[in-house]
């Protein structure tokens, strides 16, 4: 017996030695090696995570591609050296699946870039994602047959491929008696990804540990709040400014309820203007939703309005004014609904917001006036002098060639950022080992915030009031109006910083947990705008459309389009980008532009300038390669969320916008230009959203939660906000379970919504609970008034040779303008041109107009001819005109017109060419032989030093006032 056991042990030991021999393990492990690649430069490959040496983007795992007939050969040859051990020598040959099942990462922007480990794309810096298996050629059918089982089942079911062309907002009914459609749209994650997600969730649960609960034995009751809205003065930035307080405080009081309660809220308007309150994310009767002119009439000055509704849900929500820009002035607060049995853990409502010293109406007007004052305040002008200094001149020219202004991550520069009404908030009562639940709402008007914690991991346990399986992350971004519940741990008896940093990283705000020595969180450096500009150039065509590339899977925030701009991921700003661009050109067409060392790492050319090769960025990325940032695909609902059986309707929306004129729309239609979208009670509505704009948009649906199809199958998360990044295509679906009424669907960036980015879903059945809207026509005019508003803007130059200037009033589509030139001397004459026209097209590059032209100029000779050979009438011109303007590449305006005297004129002009951070160049010339050029130095928002040369008035200098 002992001899038999000894023999068996020897045989087992021999098998182990054989299997561990490199000659026998190479084929299997090589086939399973994770390859990293770059989304922007797919030819770059690496065996380890890191950053692209060409553009600095983070490498991602390459997707598995079909193999050619010749590739299986190495797998068959591996066992050859040990023919005597047939059992082990043939095992590798019988496993052709590993090459197909190996995790391969790739780039959404550059699918040819592959890698066997997560990381960033070396071409664009985008984070690599797991490659989806593709059908193989007939010679390699085995991997294809094994792939589908891992992707099918009830994992979001039927696939709906994204189309490249823009899709109009059509709707159609889908009969679904079997309920098969409730899990359709978007392929689910493969088996490997799902298992990785489940493992991560189990780890997060284990680290979170058991948390006791406490039962609320108080019977459901009516909870009353009285809210008094009044003007106040605040000082958040060193200046006293007007704000709106509720019960004397900013933010508004935290309202707390328990499931089963009834909310009874008396709103007393002590303002001299109308107001309203919207209960964000709540399920309630339509007449209580709080949207003026849609679900109620505004609350008049001095009036009291009563909101009453049952609390039939739980979670972290918030409430805010839905009237004008009052939210920006302080009208926001937390709205907490506890479960009957809630966690027995210290809990803090946290609401993050911004403060703006400038009047919100003035900020909104300034955005429509295309001022770059906010960029000047941020230091984000992206001028030509900066482009030359940093080596991004070609990128800057290409950007303007495609008619794009300088890019930005947020619209407005804020004077202060707040957590619970303070820039620095303190909760010192916690000690080592304590776990704290933060109920976080982003009550900001336009800022996204990165959230990080100096005490370790952040455990996400809920979003938009809905529980999710716990997920541990190092940081997360919270969209405007989004909510998250997170749990953090106090490691030691110190004060740890929970940091909120806006995307533009101009400022920050903090919540300090615990007492003792302060442990600050890592501060994120300023974005690399030129690198982001380069990426955007590659994404956009000459028609202003974002280009969807083959093999891309832009959805659910997986591909953070701004990754390339994050220094903590892709390194500090490249100081000599021209060298990188020359490297791109030199390596163009090569199968693999970046060599890989024997150990699988990217081989960097050390002869290159370290800054230009972004070596510093690669080193930083190496240190941060394991930094986990939350995305929607990481979130899983603890229970099934499939919609009930019923008929299906599908709607497709393109999110569109014009950054130059600050017009935001859906399918190129603002709210006032759109009809209501009729839905029927009981049907399931699916919305496919494509973001065809350069900014991310947090889209919010009133009165409903929707399923976000995020690869989690039947456990897709429920939300009321979806953050959609540029070029993303996301799918949401909801059950029309309300009793009727009109429900707003809109971008929650306040200034985007006020500019018209929204739709109205309207139930086609009669509303049982009538609203207080008695005159639908008056209500419709009130609802449409915001995006139809005309905004005033202009400039007046007062210089030594005279005065020139322009005054405009513009709305979404129309513009009325008057420009003038008044000579200091009588001989220089006086001129004025008044035009009225309408912008056409999604990009609004075409502007036909009519107007009147007055010229009286003694400098011109009688009988002088223009460049068309016509006798000029500038000495005394009084004529009606008709013409058309068109925005050319490089943002020049070409104008062709004819006047009532039959005179033709062609003009080419451009204003505000960004020469240096505060220096702007203007230039124009026309076929009447009039030309002018000038410089303007920005001192303040309204005050500029200026000088210019005019062909009639000569040189002059002085100042220019802008508005």
């Amino acid at each position: 017996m002992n001899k038999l056991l000894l023999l068996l042990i020897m045989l087992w030991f021999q098998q182990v030695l054989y299997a561990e021999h490199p000659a026998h393990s190479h084929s299997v492990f090589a086939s399973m090696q994770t390859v990293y690649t770059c989304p922007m430069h797919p030819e770059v490959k690496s065996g380890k995570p890191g950053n692209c040496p060409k553009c600095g983007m983070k490498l991602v795992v390459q997707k598995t591609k079909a193999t050619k007939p010749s590739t299986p050969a190495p797998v068959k040859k591996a066992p050859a050296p040990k023919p005597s051990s047939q059992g082990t020598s043939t095992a590798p040959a019988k496993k052709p699946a590993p090459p197909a099942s190996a995790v391969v990462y790739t780039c959404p922007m550059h699918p040819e870039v592959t890698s066997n480990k997560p990381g960033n794309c070396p071409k664009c810096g985008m984070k690599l994602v797991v490659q989806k298996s593709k059908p193989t050629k007939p010679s390699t059918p085995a991997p294809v047959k094994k792939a589908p089982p891992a992707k099918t089942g009830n994992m979001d079911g039927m696939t709906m491929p994204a189309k490249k062309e823009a899709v109009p907002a059509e709707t159609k009914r889908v009969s679904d008696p079997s309920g098969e459609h409730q899990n359709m749209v978007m392929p689910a994650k493969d088996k490997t990804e799902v298992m990785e997600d489940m493992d991560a969730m189990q780890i997060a649960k284990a680290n979170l540990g058991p948390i006791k609960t406490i039962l609320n034995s108080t019977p459901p009751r009516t909870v009353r709040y009285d809210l008094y809205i009044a003007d106040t003065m605040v000082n958040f930035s060193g200046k006293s400014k007007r704000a709106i307080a509720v019960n004397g405080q900013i933010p508004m009081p935290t309202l707390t309820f328990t499931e089963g309660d009834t909310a009874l809220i008396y709103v007393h308007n002590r303002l001299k203007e109308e107001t309203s309150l919207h209960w964000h994310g709540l399920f309630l009767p339509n007449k209580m939703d709080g949207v003026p002119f849609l679900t109620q009439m505004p609350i008049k000055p001095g009036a009291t309005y009563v909101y009453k509704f049952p609390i039939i849900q739980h979670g972290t929500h918030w409430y805010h004014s839905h009237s004008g820009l009052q939210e920006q002035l302080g009208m926001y607060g937390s709205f907490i609904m506890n479960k009957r049995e809630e966690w027995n853990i210290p809990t803090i409502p946290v609401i993050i917001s911004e403060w703006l010293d400038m009047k919100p109406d003035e900020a909104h007007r300034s955005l429509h006036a295309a001022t770059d004052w906010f960029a000047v305040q941020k230091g984000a002008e992206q001028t030509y002098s900066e482009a030359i200094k940093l080596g991004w001149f070609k990128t800057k020219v290409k950007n303007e060639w495609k008619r794009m202004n300088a890019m930005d991550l947020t619209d407005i520069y804020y004077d202060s950022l707040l957590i619970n009404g303070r820039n620095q908030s303190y909760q010192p009562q916690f000690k080592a080992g304590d776990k704290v639940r933060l109920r976080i709402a982003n009550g900001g008007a336009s800022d996204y915030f990165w959230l990080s914690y100096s005490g370790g991991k952040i455990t996400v346990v809920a979003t938009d009031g809905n529980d999710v399986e716990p997920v541990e992350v190092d940081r997360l971004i919270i969209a405007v109006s989004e909510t998250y519940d997170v749990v953090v741990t106090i490691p030691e008896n110190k004060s740890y910083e929970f940091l909120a940093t806006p995307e533009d990283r101009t400022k920050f705000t903090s919540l300090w947990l615990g007492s003792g020595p302060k442990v600050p969180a890592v501060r994120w450096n300023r974005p690399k705008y030129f690198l982001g500009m380069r990426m955007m150039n590659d994404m956009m065509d000459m028609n202003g459309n974002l280009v969807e590339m083959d093999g891309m899977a832009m959805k659910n925030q997986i591909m953070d389009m701004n990754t390339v701009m994050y220094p903590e991921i892709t390194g500090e700003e490249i100081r000599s980008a021209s060298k990188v661009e020359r490297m791109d050109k030199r390596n163009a067409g090569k199968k693999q532009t970046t060599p890989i060392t024997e150990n699988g790492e990217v081989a960097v050319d050390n002869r290159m300038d370290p800054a230009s090769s972004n070596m510093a960025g690669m080193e930083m990325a190496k240190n941060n390669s394991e930094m986990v940032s939350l995305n929607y695909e990481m979130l899983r609902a603890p229970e099934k969320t499939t919609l009930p059986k019923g008929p299906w309707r599908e709607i497709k929306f393109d999110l569109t916008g014009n950054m130059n004129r600050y017009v935001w729309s859906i399918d190129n239609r603002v709210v006032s230009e759109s009809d209501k979208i009729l839905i029927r009670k009981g049907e399931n509505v699916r919305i496919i959203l494509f973001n065809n704009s350069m900014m991310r948009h947090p889209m919010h649906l009133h009165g409903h939660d929707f399923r976000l199809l995020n690869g989690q199958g039947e456990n897709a998360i429920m939300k009321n906000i979806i953050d959609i990044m540029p070029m993303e295509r996301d799918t949401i679906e909801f059950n029309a379970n309300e009793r009727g009424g009109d429900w707003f669907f809109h971008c929650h960036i306040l200034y985007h919504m006020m500019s018209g980015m929204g739709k109205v879903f309207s139930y086609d059945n009669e509303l049982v609970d009538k609203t207080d809207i008695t005159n639908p026509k008056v209500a419709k005019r009130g609802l449409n008034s915001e995006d139809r508003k005309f905004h005033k803007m202009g400039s007046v130059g007062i210089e030594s040779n005279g005065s020139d200037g322009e005054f405009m009033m513009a709305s979404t589509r129309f513009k009325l303008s008057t420009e003038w030139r008044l000579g200091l001397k009588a001989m220089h004459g006086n001129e004025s041109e008044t035009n009225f026209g309408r912008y056409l097209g999604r990009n609004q590059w075409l502007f036909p107009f009519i107007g009147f032209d007055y010229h009286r100029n003694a400098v011109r000779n009688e009988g002088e001819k223009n460049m068309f050979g016509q006798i000029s009438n500038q000495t005394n011109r009084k004529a009606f005109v008709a013409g058309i303007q068109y925005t050319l590449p490089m943002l020049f305006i070409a104008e062709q017109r004819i006047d009532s005297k039959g005179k033709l004129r062609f003009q080419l002009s451009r204003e505000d060419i960004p020469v240096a951070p505060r220096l702007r160049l203007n230039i124009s010339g026309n076929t009447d032989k009039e030309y002018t050029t000038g410089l303007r130095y920005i001192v303040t928002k309204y005050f500029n030093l200026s000088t210019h040369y005019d062909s009639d008035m000569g040189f002059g200098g002085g100042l220019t006032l802008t508005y």
Side-chain angles (χ1 to χ4, degrees):
M1 185 67 180
N2 291 336
K3 291 182 179 179
L4 179 61
L5 289 174
L6 181 62
L7 179 62
L8 290 174
I9 292 172
M10 291 177 64
L11 288 173
W12 175 82
F13 190 64
Q14 180 186 13
Q15 291 286 80
V16 171
L17 290 176
Y18 177 83
E20 290 183 349
H21 195 281
H24 303 280
S25 61
H26 173 74
S27 62
V28 176
F29 289 120
S31 65
M32 296 179 66
Q33 183 185 22
T34 304
V35 179
Y36 294 78
T37 186
C38 172
M40 291 294 288
H41 299 87
E43 66 276 13
V44 175
K45 297 177 176 62
S46 172
K48 291 185 177 182
N51 284 54
C52 173
K54 295 178 69 178
C55 67
M57 287 195 71
K58 189 175 181 181
L59 300 180
V60 295
V61 177
Q62 184 183 42
K63 296 181 180 180
T64 305
K65 294 186 177 181
T67 56
K68 296 182 179 180
S70 59
T71 55
V75 179
K76 295 180 180 179
K77 291 181 179 180
K82 295 278 185 177
S84 60
S85 303
Q86 295 180 6
T88 54
S89 64
T90 57
K94 293 180 180 180
K95 295 181 180 180
S101 61
V103 179
V104 179
Y105 295 79
T106 188
C107 170
M109 292 291 292
H110 300 86
E112 65 273 20
V113 174
T114 57
S115 173
N116 62 353
K117 290 185 179 181
N120 283 51
C121 172
K123 294 181 69 175
C124 64
M126 286 190 63
K127 189 175 181 180
L128 301 181
V129 296
V130 177
Q131 185 183 48
K132 304 295 183 181
S133 300
K134 295 182 179 180
T136 57
K137 296 181 180 180
S139 58
T140 57
V144 179
K145 291 180 180 179
K146 291 187 176 182
K151 291 188 177 183
T152 56
N154 256 340
M155 305 297 289
D156 286 346
M158 176 178 168
T159 300
M160 298 191 67
K163 297 182 179 179
K164 292 185 178 181
E165 66 273 15
V167 186
E170 315 181 319
T171 65
K172 61 180 179 181
R173 293 188 181 277
V174 182
S175 177
D176 186 31
S178 64
E180 293 177 355
H181 287 80
Q182 65 186 14
N183 294 319
M184 70 180 289
V185 183
M186 296 302 198
K189 297 184 178 183
D190 59 32
K191 190 174 182 179
T192 302
E193 293 175 289
V194 172
M195 291 303 295
E196 290 177 352
D197 286 348
M198 297 302 291
D199 290 343
M201 291 172 188
Q202 291 300 323
I203 293 172
K205 282 184 178 180
N207 291 338
L208 185 62
I211 297 179
K212 296 180 180 180
T213 59
I214 183 170
L215 178 64
N216 185 345
S217 57
T218 303
R221 58 199 176 99
T222 296
V223 179
R224 173 171 171 166
Y225 285 95
D226 283 84
L227 303 179
Y228 294 88
I229 305 174
D231 283 325
T232 190
M233 298 297 290
V234 297
N235 188 335
F236 290 125
S237 63
K239 299 178 181 178
S240 293
K241 295 291 180 178
R242 182 240 177 182
I244 300 177
V246 174
N247 293 2
Q249 67 181 72
I250 295 176
M252 298 190 290
T254 297
L255 307 185
T256 305
F257 302 89
T258 302
E259 274 188 293
D261 287 346
T262 296
L264 180 62
I265 304 170
Y266 284 75
V267 178
H268 310 277
N269 185 8
R270 299 296 183 260
L271 300 172
K272 296 180 180 179
E273 60 189 74
E274 299 174 339
T275 191
S276 63
L277 284 178
H278 167 60
W279 319 99
H280 184 102
L282 268 64
F283 309 149
L284 35 59
N286 185 247
K287 66 179 182 179
M288 297 286 105
D289 194 43
V291 182
F293 301 113
L294 185 66
T295 66
Q296 69 171 81
M297 293 303 290
I299 306 173
K300 297 291 184 180
T304 295
Y305 196 92
V306 180
Y307 293 95
K308 184 177 182 180
F309 47 86
I311 303 298
I312 59 174
Q313 62 196 114
H314 62 262
T316 301
H317 294 77
W318 66 298
Y319 67 114
H320 58 87
S321 170
H322 223 294
S323 294
L325 299 169
Q326 292 176 348
E327 179 190 315
Q328 181 78 88
L329 287 167
M331 288 190 66
Y332 52 84
S334 295
F335 195 104
I336 307 299
M337 295 176 289
N338 291 310
K339 301 176 183 177
R340 299 305 299 181
E341 188 172 352
E342 193 58 83
W343 280 0
N344 188 13
I345 181 176
T347 301
I348 303 173
V350 175
I351 191 159
I352 309 171
S353 59
E354 323 106 335
W355 175 256
L356 181 67
D357 282 341
M358 185 186 299
K359 293 180 179 179
D361 285 325
E362 173 61 10
H364 192 209
R365 185 202 64 78
S366 298
L367 292 170
H368 285 276
T371 177
D372 58 358
W373 173 243
F374 295 126
V376 171
Q377 290 181 293
K378 295 179 186 182
E381 303 92 335
Q382 299 149 64
T383 62
Y384 274 100
S385 64
E386 294 172 290
I388 293 171
K389 179 180 178 181
L390 297 175
W392 291 108
F393 178 75
K394 291 182 180 179
T395 296
K396 178 64 177 176
V397 170
K398 186 176 181 181
N399 180 255
E400 294 195 344
W401 182 256
K402 291 190 174 184
R403 305 177 180 91
M404 288 188 285
N405 285 326
M407 69 173 301
D408 202 356
L409 297 174
T410 54
D411 296 329
I412 293 175
Y413 174 84
Y414 285 98
D415 295 284
S416 186
L417 302 176
L418 310 174
I419 280 186
N420 292 343
R422 293 179 174 85
N423 179 256
Q424 300 292 298
S425 185
Y426 298 90
Q427 295 285 340
Q429 67 271 26
F430 304 111
K431 60 183 185 300
D434 284 350
K435 295 184 184 299
V436 184
R437 180 182 187 177
L438 305 179
R439 292 180 174 267
I440 308 167
N442 183 351
S446 63
D447 268 333
Y448 284 64
F449 289 93
W450 278 106
L451 307 179
S452 56
Y453 178 55
S454 64
K457 295 284 187 180
I458 299 171
T459 303
V460 179
V461 296
T463 180
D464 289 350
N466 297 293
D467 293 341
V468 298
E469 296 285 358
V471 175
E472 285 186 340
V473 296
D474 296 296
R475 65 178 186 176
L476 65 104
I477 193 166
I478 184 169
V480 177
S481 83
E482 200 169 29
T483 73
Y484 280 102
D485 285 31
V486 305
V487 176
V488 296
T489 302
I490 312 299
E492 301 177 38
N493 287 320
K494 297 179 181 179
S495 183
Y496 294 90
E497 184 179 26
F498 190 84
L499 181 70
T501 309
E503 269 202 296
D504 61 16
R505 300 171 177 196
T506 51
K507 288 180 169 64
F508 62 88
T509 181
S510 306
L511 171 65
W512 295 89
L513 302 172
S515 60
K518 284 189 174 182
V519 181
V522 174
R523 299 293 188 267
W524 311 117
N525 289 343
R526 299 294 299 278
K528 299 182 293 183
Y529 286 107
F530 284 108
L531 201 54
M533 182 186 292
R534 181 187 182 193
M535 179 188 66
M536 289 300 183
N537 288 345
D538 293 337
M539 290 168 52
M540 179 171 280
D541 62 21
M542 287 299 296
N543 296 319
N545 293 307
L546 296 185
V547 180
E548 291 189 89
M549 300 181 183
D550 293 336
M552 288 176 51
M554 299 298 298
K555 60 188 180 71
N556 298 326
Q557 297 180 325
I558 299 176
M559 291 297 91
D560 187 340
M561 300 303 295
N562 296 328
T563 294
V564 66
M565 303 171 67
Y566 299 150
E568 71 275 10
I569 299 296
T570 57
E572 293 305 316
E573 181 72 75
I574 297 174
R575 311 307 291 185
S576 183
S578 58
K579 291 186 178 181
V580 177
E581 293 178 345
R582 287 199 299 271
M583 182 178 70
D584 288 350
K585 186 176 182 180
R586 183 174 67 247
N587 293 326
K590 293 184 180 181
K591 186 175 182 180
Q592 181 178 305
T593 61
T594 304
I596 297 179
T597 63
E598 293 181 359
N599 62 4
E601 295 182 347
V602 175
V604 179
D605 183 0
N606 292 318
R607 294 170 297 175
M608 186 181 297
D609 182 349
S612 67
S613 65
N614 210 15
M615 290 177 65
M618 293 180 67
E619 186 64 30
M620 180 174 287
K622 183 178 179 181
N623 296 332
N624 289 282
S625 60
E626 301 303 319
M627 181 169 61
V628 179
S629 300
L630 183 72
N631 64 60
Y632 286 149
E633 285 215 354
M634 297 167 64
L635 298 176
R636 180 179 178 85
E639 300 176 351
K640 292 182 180 180
T641 60
T642 50
L643 302 185
K645 292 184 178 181
W648 281 81
R649 170 179 300 217
E650 183 178 289
I651 305 170
K652 299 178 181 179
F653 290 143
D654 274 8
L655 308 183
T656 46
N658 183 307
M659 193 67 185
N660 296 352
R661 300 197 62 248
Y662 209 78
V663 174
W664 298 102
S665 55
I666 298 178
D667 293 319
N668 194 32
R669 291 184 176 89
V670 295
V671 171
S672 64
E673 299 170 335
S674 304
D675 294 328
K676 293 180 179 180
I677 299 174
L678 294 180
I679 57 176
R680 182 168 298 167
K681 182 175 175 58
E683 70 181 354
N684 296 317
V685 182
R686 177 173 295 109
I687 308 174
I688 300 175
L689 296 156
F690 175 63
N691 186 359
N692 194 25
S693 78
M694 283 299 190
M695 292 195 73
R696 60 201 306 167
H697 299 287
M699 302 303 297
H700 169 53
L701 177 62
H702 284 219
H704 304 73
D705 274 352
F706 52 72
R707 297 182 79 235
L708 170 58
L709 302 193
N710 64 341
Q712 295 291 351
E714 294 180 328
N715 294 78
I717 55 173
M718 301 296 292
K719 290 182 64 63
N720 59 64
I721 278 283
I722 176 174
D723 169 33
I724 308 179
M725 298 201 70
M727 211 164 61
E728 275 199 358
R729 188 180 296 278
D730 293 299
T731 302
I732 62 177
E733 57 188 29
F734 68 93
N735 179 252
N737 55 8
E738 291 291 345
R739 300 176 65 181
D742 295 330
W743 302 93
F744 207 9
F745 178 65
H746 64 91
C747 176
H748 218 292
I749 293 177
L750 182 60
Y751 300 95
H752 291 190
M753 181 190 73
M754 295 292 287
S755 298
M757 196 171 196
K759 296 280 186 183
V760 175
F761 285 98
S762 182
Y763 282 77
D764 63 3
N765 58 292
E766 185 177 355
L767 184 62
V768 177
D769 300 319
K770 298 292 185 180
T771 69
D772 65 347
I773 296 176
T774 57
N775 191 328
K777 291 184 178 180
V778 172
K780 186 175 182 180
R781 283 199 301 269
L783 183 67
N784 294 340
S785 63
E786 295 297 346
D787 63 61
R788 288 180 174 176
K789 185 180 295 183
F790 275 83
H791 301 275
K792 299 182 288 294
M793 59 203 79
S795 65
V796 178
I798 304 172
E799 299 182 355
S800 58
N801 61 346
S803 174
D804 61 351
E806 182 178 20
F807 176 77
M808 292 184 291
M809 293 183 64
S811 66
T812 301
R813 306 291 178 190
F814 297 95
K815 184 178 75 173
L816 171 67
S817 66
T818 295
E819 58 179 282
W820 66 86
R821 285 166 292 281
L822 307 175
L824 183 64
K825 299 179 181 180
M827 62 178 295
H828 292 152
N830 304 315
E831 306 170 4
S832 71
E833 298 179 20
T834 301
N835 298 322
F836 177 77
R838 187 183 195 277
Y839 286 95
L840 303 177
R842 181 178 70 83
N843 296 305
Q844 299 195 354
W845 291 338
L846 198 63
F847 180 72
F849 64 89
I850 57 173
F852 185 80
D853 184 5
Y854 171 75
H855 265 63
R856 188 175 184 85
N857 196 333
V859 174
R860 298 287 176 174
N861 297 323
E862 200 72 42
E864 182 179 348
K865 292 184 178 181
N866 62 24
M867 296 177 68
F868 288 113
Q870 298 175 308
I871 296 176
S872 174
N873 57 357
Q874 292 185 70
T875 55
N876 189 8
R877 178 192 297 163
K878 297 176 182 177
F880 292 98
V881 298
I884 190 167
Q885 293 179 354
Y886 184 72
T887 302
L888 298 172
M890 299 302 296
L891 297 171
F892 276 86
I893 305 297
E895 176 185 298
Q896 180 68 63
R897 70 170 214 180
I898 185 171
D899 65 25
S900 55
K901 310 294 184 182
K903 308 299 182 182
L904 294 170
R905 189 184 80 181
F906 176 79
Q907 180 169 289
L908 198 62
S909 63
R910 180 172 173 191
E911 297 182 354
D912 293 338
I913 300 173
V915 178
R918 288 179 178 259
L919 192 63
R920 304 293 179 265
L921 171 67
N922 301 325
I923 187 170
S924 69
N926 60 42
T927 54
D928 281 346
K929 300 178 182 179
E930 298 173 315
Y931 53 91
T932 181
T933 183
L935 291 170
R936 179 171 60 90
Y937 181 82
I938 302 170
V939 180
T940 69
K941 183 178 187 297
Y942 304 108
F943 182 80
N944 309 259
L945 300 177
S946 61
T947 180
H948 85 288
Y949 174 79
D950 185 279
S951 56
D952 292 336
M953 298 191 298
F955 282 103
L959 57 90
T960 296
L961 304 177
T962 57
Y963 177 70

